[in-house]
Amino acid sequence: MHREGHVGAALLAYAPVGFIVFVVGFEGAAMAGAVGAGLLAMVPDYDQHVPGITHRGLTHTVWFAALVGLGLGLAGVAIGSNDGTLTAIGLGVFGLLVGTVTILSHIAADALTPMGVEPYAPVRDDHYSYDVARAANPIANYGLLALGIAASGVALVVGNALTNM
């Protein structure tokens, strides 16, 4: 998929997380997480700019998703540490979720293409390709973007309605 499709997939995957964070009273964090997901959506494709790294290789695995999630989780702990243990843990878990969910959404979106992905490499060589659309298909990319925006919008509207009851 291209940028639009990956941003849409990230927003779609993040919407349930954002909804829960919003409903429990952290509206600003929920919004920041959506922005973060959108910004992280293309990180796995940076492999195309690093010599010696295969496209859709290491950066398109669950291991990389866990690494990004762990990195953001540790950043969250560091940011929240001045405000107490509970805040540090909360921000750590939130960072872990945003990072991991976003990278997994990228992998899932690439699995929709004929090229597919090997998300468990090098441990397992399972290959996933649902061959729904080519990566450059504008209908698939913009459709996924619209779906992600719609899911985020629904999460926001429903979350707001529930918190204002």
Side-chain angles (χ1 to χ4, degrees), residues 122-145:
V123 176
R124 291 181 14 204
D125 61 356
D126 300 0
H127 185 268
Y128 297 91
S129 170
Y130 299 105
D131 201 5
V132 173
R134 298 226 172 260
N137 183 318
I139 295 171
N141 280 289
Y142 284 103
L144 199 49
L145 179 60

Side-chain angles (χ1 to χ4, degrees), residues 41-118:
M42 292 302 293
V43 166
D45 282 346
Y46 291 170
D47 61 4
Q48 296 178 78
H49 306 290
V50 180
I53 301 226
T54 307
H55 182 51
R56 293 196 186 181
L58 178 64
T59 62
H60 287 68
T61 64
V62 296
W63 322 117
F64 184 73
L67 181 65
V68 171
L70 182 61
L72 284 180
L74 290 173
V77 167
I79 290 167
S81 64
N82 290 335
D83 295 323
T85 304
L86 196 55
T87 301
I89 292 170
L91 284 176
V93 169
F94 183 63
L96 176 76
L97 283 171
V98 171
T100 304
V101 164
T102 301
I103 302 305
L104 290 175
S105 76
H106 185 104
I107 296 166
D110 279 348
L112 296 173
T113 69
M115 185 177 174
V117 291
E118 293 182 2

